[in-house]
Amino acid sequence: MEDQLNIRFPNLPTQLTPLIGREQEIRAVCSLLQRPEVRLVTLTGTGGVGKTRLGLQVATGLLNDFTDGICFVPLAPINDPELVVPTIAQALGIKEAGDRPLVDLLPTYLQNKRLLLLLDNFEQVAAAATRLSDLLTGSPQLKIMVTSRAVLHIRAEHEFPVPPLALPDLTHLPESEVLSQYAAVALFLQCAKTARPNFQSTPANTRAIAEICVHLDGLPLAIELAAARIKLL
Ligand SMILES: Nc1ncnc2c1ncn2[C@@H]1O[C@H](COP(=O)(O)OP(=O)(O)OP(=O)(O)O)[C@@H](O)[C@H]1O
Ligand SMILES: [Mg+2]
């Protein structure tokens, strides 16, 4: 079975935009996953807060820690919890052998692997959480990072709530150069420049952008959508 598989190279999707901020969160989640007793970390938060983006960055930073690879498993397309184990097996490239179903092959394959699974959008299949406990029990070196809008409520879980991007205080707005160092404002400026290449930041528009970011609660998805509208102005 070993030879059919090629996960020495991870299958993490490439991001087309630069990551803004998150230095502290990346450090915190990396060190959590590096602790020997931590087997499962759930990045929680509202839709669009940046769970997937953070998870992918953390995974990239941990490539050297997992000698058997890191496997990204998108679960957004499924909503049947029964499909979670087969979907993980497929992502790992495990093929059905004879009459042994993927559900049986996966624990055998994972048994001695030093591997990190990144399970994305687990809220879709929350009822499969106990399957993850079973996989962790049977594979002592396996670790799992989950992104989910809700906690899984299993014993092994360490929750890491993903906060919104850093925002300035509207009542004491600093100078525009300082404002653009806040991750939320920096993301807006970067998206605005992509949407309209001749976009110039000025003290006045940076201040207005900071206010928009605060009203959008520092949510990266909302900031991206708002900044894209710069094109229309
Ligand atoms: N730190 C960041 N720097 C740059 N872009 C970011 C950052 N965080 C998030 N984004 C962008 O914001 C959007 C939303 O982020 P992401 O998809 O990670 O959210 P999510 O919490 O996983 O949402 P969902 O619950 O819908 O899966 C994406 O386009 C992502 O690339
Ligand atoms: Mg996501």
Side-chain angles (χ1 to χ4, degrees):
M1 187 159 75
E2 208 85 354
D3 290 337
Q4 309 166 14
L5 303 172
N6 182 17
I7 52 144
R8 275 167 299 153
F9 302 104
N11 65 345
L12 304 175
T14 312
Q15 300 303 296
L16 301 175
T17 55
L19 181 90
I20 311 268
R22 296 296 196 207
E23 295 82 3
Q24 220 180 318
E25 290 87 353
I26 294 166
R27 269 199 302 277
V29 181
C30 279
S31 43
L32 200 52
L33 277 163
Q34 280 168 330
R35 274 164 44 190
E37 76 281 12
V38 174
R39 307 286 311 282
L40 185 145
V41 172
T42 307
L43 307 181
T44 57
T46 186
V49 76
K51 301 178 294 294
T52 301
R53 191 71 200 241
L54 176 62
L56 289 170
Q57 197 62 34
V58 166
T60 306
L62 292 176
L63 284 174
N64 291 335
D65 292 76
F66 293 92
T67 39
D68 291 301
I70 297 185
C71 184
F72 179 74
V73 187
L75 297 171
I78 66 167
N79 49 29
D80 177 358
E82 291 302 315
L83 291 179
V84 169
V85 169
T87 305
I88 296 172
Q90 265 163 11
L92 286 165
I94 300 171
K95 304 264 184 325
E96 258 171 274
D99 51 5
R100 286 192 71 196
L102 288 177
V103 185
D104 289 352
L105 293 170
L106 182 64
T108 315
Y109 170 76
L110 289 174
Q111 221 162 38
N112 298 310
K113 292 283 189 296
R114 200 176 173 78
L115 191 103
L116 175 69
L117 294 174
L118 173 48
L119 308 183
D120 197 33
N121 286 105
F122 203 81
E123 70 278 347
Q124 298 273 120
V125 287
T130 51
R131 296 297 173 86
L132 303 187
S133 301
D134 298 342
L135 289 178
L136 290 169
T137 309
S139 322
Q141 307 209 67
L142 172 71
K143 296 207 182 199
I144 302 178
M145 177 164 41
V146 172
T147 78
S148 172
R149 293 183 189 171
V151 279
L152 273 52
H153 294 300
I154 51 175
R155 289 251 319 267
E157 180 173 46
H158 292 253
E159 183 191 4
F160 183 89
V162 179
L165 292 179
L167 284 169
D169 174 0
L170 272 191
T171 54
H172 302 99
L173 276 189
E175 295 301 310
S176 64
E177 308 86 78
V178 182
L179 274 181
S180 55
Q181 288 165 20
Y182 286 87
V185 179
L187 178 62
F188 192 111
L189 290 171
Q190 182 208 266
C191 296
K193 283 175 190 153
T194 309
R196 213 169 74 185
N198 62 353
F199 174 82
Q200 298 280 346
S201 55
T202 63
N205 69 17
T206 306
R207 208 185 151 82
I209 284 168
E211 287 174 4
I212 294 171
C213 291
V214 170
H215 289 300
L216 297 174
D217 298 322
L219 269 189
L221 180 63
I223 292 172
E224 281 185 340
L225 295 173
R229 296 182 65 95
I230 284 271
K231 193 160 47 182
L232 308 174
L233 299 179

